[in-house]
Amino acid sequence: MTGDERGGRLEVIAGPMFAGKTEELVRRVHRAQVARRGVLVVAHELDTRSGPGRVASHSGLAVPSRSVRAAAEIPALLTAGTELLAVDEAQFFGPDLVDVATELADAGVVVVVAGLSVTFDGRPFAPLPALMAVAESVTKLTAVCTVCGRDAAFHVRSGATPADDALAPTPGHVGGSESYEARCRRHRAG
Ligand code: ADP
Ligand code: MG
């Protein structure tokens, strides 16, 4: 079968922290598994939050994954039966992920990439903007602003250290020691 017949495509899931990007990635992986598609889930070695060998959402949804140090290592992990490749925390992989994801989609793989579209100071976060530009589908998610409950397209550093979190847990920090909070446009500046 040629790549074209297999229907390769690139799907991007983007947004700030806590937007549900990993939940959506895991949902698509589960659907592919129900359909008996060959699935490969890849994480970056720098992403230590979920623990080794798994991708996990803040709400506890998880799937087994392989970890790599660079985008260039991903193609070697695919087998002839890999029909869906899911990559979480795309921002860790840098610009090289754009060519790797494009080449695999061209070769017939459904490539689903989730990652942060903004930095903590509200700027576009590479390579998500470039991936969004060349994708068949883009799902842009928002979190809930921890100040007012509006749609949050941003996240900010809350200033809390992991030690502070242990002493006084902050709303929006679910089971983690991240010092970030989701914020709407109005509340991203303090
Ligand atoms: P992401 O991968 O985008 O960081 P996850 O999929 O890991 O997000 O987690 C999404 C979950 O995080 C939500 O379903 C909810 O349970 C939890 N959560 C915690 N804080 C927030 C928030 N401020 N806004 C939305 N969801 C939040
Ligand atoms: Mg995530």
Side-chain angles (χ1 to χ4, degrees):
M1 219 169 8
T2 67
D4 200 35
E5 286 163 342
R6 286 180 60 187
R9 53 188 271 120
L10 175 59
E11 302 176 1
V12 172
I13 303 165
M17 287 184 70
F18 305 105
K21 302 180 302 297
T22 301
E23 282 178 351
E24 178 60 21
L25 187 83
V26 171
R27 188 182 77 85
R28 295 187 198 183
V29 165
H30 282 156
R31 285 181 58 88
Q33 288 169 334
V34 168
R36 297 200 173 83
R37 306 269 188 260
V39 174
L40 172 68
V41 182
V42 172
H44 197 283
E45 273 190 3
L46 289 175
D47 178 18
T48 53
R49 198 197 66 215
S50 304
R54 66 201 284 267
V55 159
S57 75
H58 290 97
S59 57
L61 283 177
V63 283
S65 65
R66 305 278 300 271
S67 290
V68 296
R69 279 166 297 181
E73 295 176 24
I74 295 175
L77 297 180
L78 277 80
T79 65
T82 306
E83 294 167 273
L84 184 138
L85 165 69
V87 181
D88 200 16
E89 304 287 6
Q91 71 282 352
F92 282 131
F93 293 85
D96 291 350
L97 185 60
V98 181
D99 283 348
V100 169
T102 297
E103 282 160 21
L104 292 172
D106 288 351
V109 179
V110 175
V111 181
V112 186
V113 174
L116 291 176
S117 49
V118 280
T119 60
F120 71 89
D121 53 354
R123 296 171 201 276
F125 202 165
L128 266 295
L131 288 164
M132 290 160 86
V134 296
E136 272 81 5
S137 127
V138 175
T139 302
K140 183 85 188 319
L141 299 175
T142 52
V144 176
C145 177
T146 56
V147 176
C148 70
R150 287 192 182 89
D151 284 351
F154 306 94
H155 56 272
V156 297
R157 277 194 170 138
S158 68
T161 64
D164 290 335
D165 284 352
L167 292 171
T170 310
H173 290 200
V174 175
S177 57
E178 304 96 336
S179 47
Y180 296 96
E181 287 184 27
R183 293 292 175 88
C184 70
R185 185 170 297 281
R186 187 176 303 180
H187 291 117
R188 74 182 160 124

